[in-house]
């Protein structure tokens, strides 16, 4: 089955392309490379043995999406394409609503027109804000989002829920995932942030590699065991495989209309300081970090109850945080060697 992967050259998308191929699917990438790089395709070629089919196009164009879906005989889609910087979303709300929600609306509409029913939506644990109870389950009431980015994920889920509830022929799953870390163990693909990283682990690896002078830990006075924020860090390949299991579930589901939501996490909370110390132990590299003020909008603790996805889809995380950090460090070192090699 040919699977459309929007944003397939991005961090999560590229690793999901690998997992799809390993599971017997044929991934087709659509990515405008506004937040990714063409060299990701070279890394995928080294892993897969061939360069996957790709279209350097924007997902907000209905004519383009309709043509790709029909020309490639697409049987399902995984939608990653979205802007994702929380801080930027607060400064440029219209940009985020137009891109993140516009691309989803175009994809759903063109899928309905072309008779394609299976869709996995990239949602986020940001929809939970600061949960009242931990670990957080899918039944938790969703508070007003603390960011425009998070709100686009909440609204995206509502679009799919309402479309399915209206009896439209679409089967969709929203995956609320927590904090992906790591890289493919080959170190041919990994997290490739443009500019200053928004996520913690690439900031850690860049600091260890000397790309960044130091790392700031935002607050050590939270109500947590060591005062720093607790998060649920999941290996990127575990997360990629969760998308594949979700897709398999939909293809085996005989109903014409379906919608559900699943947490994708390890179920374990890890503090920022614990993550830093584990990285130092795994890499043998001491980190230059300091304690700074709290960052506005940061929840003290968020980690998943992943019982539902195991019970219904049979998926659970199998890789450790240490593995994720070791793979992330290997990827960082590989990037440095590559960038320093004379052409």
């Amino acid at each position: 089955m040919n699977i459309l992967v929007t944003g397939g050259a991005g961090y999560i998308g590229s690793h999901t392309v690998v997992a799809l191929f390993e599971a017997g699917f044929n991934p087709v990438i659509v990515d405008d490379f506004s937040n990714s790089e063409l060299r990701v395709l070279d890394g995928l070629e080294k892993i897969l043995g061939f360069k996957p089919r790709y279209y350097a196009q924007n997902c907000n164009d209905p004519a383009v999406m309709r043509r790709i879906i029909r020309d490639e005989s697409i049987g399902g889609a995984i939608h990653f394409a979205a802007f994702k910087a929380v801080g930027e979303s607060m400064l440029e709300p219209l940009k985020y609503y137009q891109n993140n929600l516009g691309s989803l609306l175009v994809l759903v509409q063109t899928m309905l027109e072309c008779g394609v029913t299976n869709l996995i939506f990239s949602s986020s644990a940001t929809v939970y804000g600061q949960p009242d109870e931990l670990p957080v389950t899918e039944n938790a009431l969703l508070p007003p989002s603390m960011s425009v980015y998070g709100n686009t994920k909440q609204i995206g889920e509502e679009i799919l829920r309402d479309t399915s509830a209206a009896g439209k022929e679409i089967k969709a799953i929203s995956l609320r995932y927590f904090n992906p870390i790591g890289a493919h163990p080959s170190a041919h693909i990994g997290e490739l942030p443009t500019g200053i990283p928004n996520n913690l682990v690439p900031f850690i690896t860049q600091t260890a590699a000397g790309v960044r002078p130091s790392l700031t830990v935002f607050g050590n006075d939270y109500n947590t065991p060591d005062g720093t924020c607790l998060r649920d860090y999941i290996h990127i390949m575990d997360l990629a495989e969760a998308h594949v299991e979700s897709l398999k579930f939909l293809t085996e589901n005989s109903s014409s209309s379906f919608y559900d939501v699943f947490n994708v996490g390890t179920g374990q909370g890890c503090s920022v300081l614990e993550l830093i110390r584990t990285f130092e132990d795994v890499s043998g590299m001491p980190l230059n970090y300091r304690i700074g003020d709290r960052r506005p909008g940061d929840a003290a603790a968020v980690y998943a109850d992943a019982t539902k996805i195991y019970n219904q889809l049979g998926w659970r995380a199998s890789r450790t945080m240490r593995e994720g950090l070791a793979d992330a460090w290997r990827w960082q070192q590989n990037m440095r060697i590559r960038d320093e090699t004379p052409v």
Side-chain angles (χ1 to χ4, degrees):
M1 181 183 291
N2 295 341
I3 304 300
L4 188 71
V5 186
T6 71
Y11 176 41
I12 305 174
S14 60
H15 290 80
T16 301
V17 165
V18 173
L20 283 167
F21 175 75
E22 291 176 344
F25 293 99
N26 301 313
V28 178
I29 295 170
V30 178
D31 200 307
D32 65 1
F33 296 94
S34 61
N35 196 34
S36 55
E37 297 184 19
L38 276 167
R39 59 177 169 170
V40 172
L41 300 175
D42 296 329
L44 286 171
E45 184 175 13
K46 291 177 181 178
I47 296 170
L48 304 178
F50 65 94
K51 186 168 289 186
R53 292 185 61 79
Y54 76 95
Y55 293 83
Q57 298 286 350
N58 189 293
C59 297
N60 281 280
D61 189 326
V64 167
M65 296 301 289
R66 192 178 299 112
R67 174 174 57 83
I68 294 172
I69 289 173
R70 287 174 174 164
D71 288 353
E72 294 290 345
S73 300
I74 295 299
I78 303 179
H79 186 51
F80 294 109
F83 295 143
K84 61 180 183 178
V86 171
E88 183 189 48
S89 77
M90 303 302 288
L91 300 174
E92 301 287 347
L94 294 182
K95 173 182 175 181
Y96 272 68
Y97 286 123
Q98 174 64 46
N99 185 70
N100 293 12
L101 297 179
S103 63
L104 177 61
L105 289 168
V106 167
L107 177 61
V108 172
Q109 185 61 47
T110 52
M111 287 177 64
L112 290 171
E113 291 174 8
C114 299
V116 180
T117 59
N118 304 304
L119 174 61
I120 309 299
F121 175 59
S122 168
S123 190
S124 169
T126 58
V127 301
Y128 291 121
Q130 174 60 72
D132 292 330
E133 296 183 5
L134 291 170
V136 62
T137 73
E138 292 86 348
N139 294 324
L141 294 177
L142 303 187
S145 178
M146 294 188 291
S147 71
V148 172
Y149 164 75
N151 201 33
T152 66
K153 295 302 183 183
Q154 284 194 12
I155 297 172
E157 289 189 9
E158 291 168 356
I159 288 170
L160 295 177
R161 181 198 66 200
D162 294 345
T163 302
S164 175
K168 303 299 182 182
E169 292 193 2
I170 191 163
K171 297 181 291 184
I173 286 176
S174 293
L175 295 181
R176 294 173 179 167
Y177 31 85
F178 286 68
N179 296 73
I181 63 171
H184 191 270
S186 68
H188 291 314
I189 57 173
E191 190 164 6
L192 192 62
T194 55
I196 299 174
N198 291 305
N199 296 331
L200 177 58
V201 170
F203 215 114
I204 287 175
T205 60
Q206 289 187 9
T207 302
V211 178
R212 306 285 164 193
S214 64
L215 170 72
T216 299
V217 176
F218 296 109
N220 67 342
D221 58 349
Y222 288 96
N223 184 24
T224 61
D226 63 16
T228 63
C229 291
L230 293 179
R231 294 292 183 269
D232 189 335
Y233 297 100
I234 177 172
H235 196 291
I236 186 65
M237 290 309 302
D238 278 336
L239 177 55
E241 290 163 4
H243 289 80
V244 174
E245 293 305 315
S246 300
L247 185 63
K248 288 180 180 177
F249 177 83
L250 290 182
T251 60
E252 295 166 1
N253 189 325
S254 60
S255 62
S256 61
S257 184
F258 174 86
Y259 178 71
D260 208 344
V261 59
F262 296 95
N263 286 340
V264 187
T266 67
Q268 301 294 320
C270 170
S271 76
V272 173
L273 286 181
E274 183 182 354
L275 189 77
I276 288 173
R277 289 166 186 152
T278 303
F279 175 81
E280 290 178 325
D281 183 51
V282 166
S283 67
M285 300 290 294
L287 276 178
N288 180 24
Y289 69 91
R290 67 178 186 87
I291 305 297
D293 294 333
R294 290 188 181 191
R295 186 169 53 183
D298 277 349
V302 186
Y303 53 94
D305 183 322
T307 304
K308 181 180 176 182
I309 192 170
Y310 175 70
N311 287 342
Q312 296 190 31
L313 274 61
W315 176 92
R316 67 164 40 133
S318 62
R319 298 165 179 88
T320 66
M321 183 181 71
R322 290 180 66 89
E323 289 178 86
L325 293 172
D327 288 338
W329 180 232
R330 191 180 305 110
W331 161 246
Q332 179 68 52
Q333 291 173 300
N334 188 49
M335 281 197 296
R336 184 168 186 172
I337 292 170
R338 181 199 60 213
D339 292 341
E340 292 177 353
T341 301
V343 178

